[in-house]
Amino acid sequence: MSPDTKPVTTRSVMEMKRSGRKIVSLTAYDALFAELLDQAGVDIVLVGDSVSTVLCAQETTLSATLEQMIYHGRIVRAGVRRALVVVDMPFLTYQVSIEDAKRNCGRVMQATGVHAVKLEGGAGMAPTVRALVDIGIPVMGHLGLTPQSVHALGGYRVQGREADEASRLISDAKALQEAGAFAIVLELMPAAVAQRVTEAVRIPTIGIGAGPHCDGQVLVLHDMLGLNEHLNTKFLKRYAQLADQVRDAVRCFGEEVRSGGYPDSAHSF
Ligand code: KIV
């Protein structure tokens, strides 16, 4: 197998940091998009709990449920051959007790066939991460703007601007590494802080709104494709304008149906 068709594993993701090869990650919530991402060479497909805001028009990710993430995890996994698939554990499925976390993360792994789970939180979450890793569940961490804590953080604000917050992010990242996490998402923080975190740990960091010095980058697929027009933030780059194309195509279909132009003889039996 050539390096580009060999399945991505948690080990190969960690190796990418050592070799300096940037990690490419995007979200997916269904098999169709997951297959396209996989064919385009994405390394990590993240089944984000952003599904609740992006696809379900909820204000925050707090409403995502275990059943919802299992459903999306299973269909995303069905579309992927090469990429590593990671499922976000929803709010309250891993914070209440380590026993809960083991049972719920284990259920996600068993029911979906994905390769790893992602949990939000720093040093306080380290014992949970350790317990999961000890039973064979690979864990990705998530620091900075942790959307499940949006109300406690006072909104979707850049984290780590103050010196003490930046130091805390570094110690949180080290705690997750020591607990056995294989990678950490760094969300919404100054580039210089993400660089310090990235240099402080041996495991890869994957940034979103965290500047260019992370070991990889992740974006929400529907945002970067210009399908979701509700998010306007400095870090987001839109690589396509699919919402415009969808509206144009649908209008065109409507006009042709109303005028009798569709279906014509070429599209009829
Ligand atoms: O839920 C999600 O999509 C995420 C990414 C933004 C990292 O956690």
Side-chain angles (χ1 to χ4, degrees):
M1 261 187 217
S2 80
D4 284 336
T5 54
K6 228 169 134 184
V8 181
T9 64
T10 53
R11 283 174 73 95
S12 60
V13 164
M14 290 194 281
E15 179 50 35
M16 285 166 81
K17 175 165 183 143
R18 285 190 282 274
S19 67
R21 182 173 158 183
K22 292 275 189 182
I23 299 159
V24 179
S25 179
L26 284 168
T27 59
Y29 314 124
D30 62 75
L32 183 79
F33 269 128
E35 188 175 1
L36 294 175
L37 302 192
D38 200 45
Q39 289 166 348
V42 165
D43 300 306
I44 300 178
V45 176
L46 173 67
V47 188
D49 58 356
S50 54
V51 64
S52 58
T53 54
V54 177
L55 290 196
C56 308
Q58 302 301 298
E59 266 183 30
T60 72
T61 57
L62 295 171
S63 63
T65 65
L66 193 62
E67 297 314 319
Q68 201 178 1
M69 297 315 295
I70 288 175
Y71 171 76
H72 289 285
R74 187 185 286 139
I75 60 178
V76 166
R77 180 68 189 91
V80 169
R81 295 169 72 97
R82 172 187 169 268
L84 187 82
V85 182
V86 181
V87 167
D88 259 346
M89 291 305 295
F91 182 57
L92 280 193
T93 61
Y94 60 94
Q95 295 96 335
V96 176
S97 73
I98 289 183
E99 292 314 300
D100 259 14
K102 287 205 268 192
R103 193 162 295 110
N104 291 328
C105 294
R107 192 157 161 240
V108 165
M109 298 292 289
Q110 197 169 46
T112 64
V114 301
H115 308 109
V117 296
K118 176 162 79 62
L119 313 181
E120 297 181 6
M125 203 45 71
T128 305
V129 173
R130 169 49 62 201
L132 293 169
V133 171
D134 281 349
I135 59 165
I137 300 179
V139 179
M140 178 182 270
H142 187 153
L143 295 173
L145 188 280
T146 43
Q148 292 174 13
S149 307
V150 60
H151 299 305
L153 296 174
Y156 293 100
R157 296 167 46 249
V158 175
Q159 303 295 304
R161 285 200 198 274
E162 305 300 326
D164 60 329
E165 285 174 8
S167 309
R168 172 94 178 269
L169 285 168
I170 294 170
S171 52
D172 280 342
K174 287 183 176 166
L176 290 175
Q177 168 179 269
E178 293 322 309
F182 74 91
I184 308 172
V185 167
L186 301 182
E187 182 163 352
L188 222 52
M189 64 184 69
V193 173
Q195 180 173 18
R196 285 175 60 201
V197 174
T198 299
E199 288 169 358
V201 290
R202 297 179 303 281
I203 55 175
T205 60
I206 302 179
I208 174 163
H213 309 294
C214 297
D215 300 303
Q217 298 291 329
V218 59
L219 283 176
V220 170
L221 180 69
H222 294 63
D223 297 343
M224 64 82 83
L225 290 180
L227 261 177
N228 177 18
E229 296 178 315
H230 300 291
L231 183 73
N232 279 308
T233 169
K234 186 176 175 191
F235 72 79
L236 175 62
K237 180 168 176 185
R238 292 201 163 93
Y239 288 80
Q241 303 294 338
L242 293 195
D244 288 338
Q245 286 188 258
V246 170
R247 274 187 294 261
D248 286 348
V250 172
R251 272 191 207 111
C252 192
F253 172 68
E255 280 164 19
E256 291 197 356
V257 168
R258 288 179 192 117
S259 70
Y262 179 84
D264 55 12
S265 57
H267 297 94
S268 303
F269 297 104

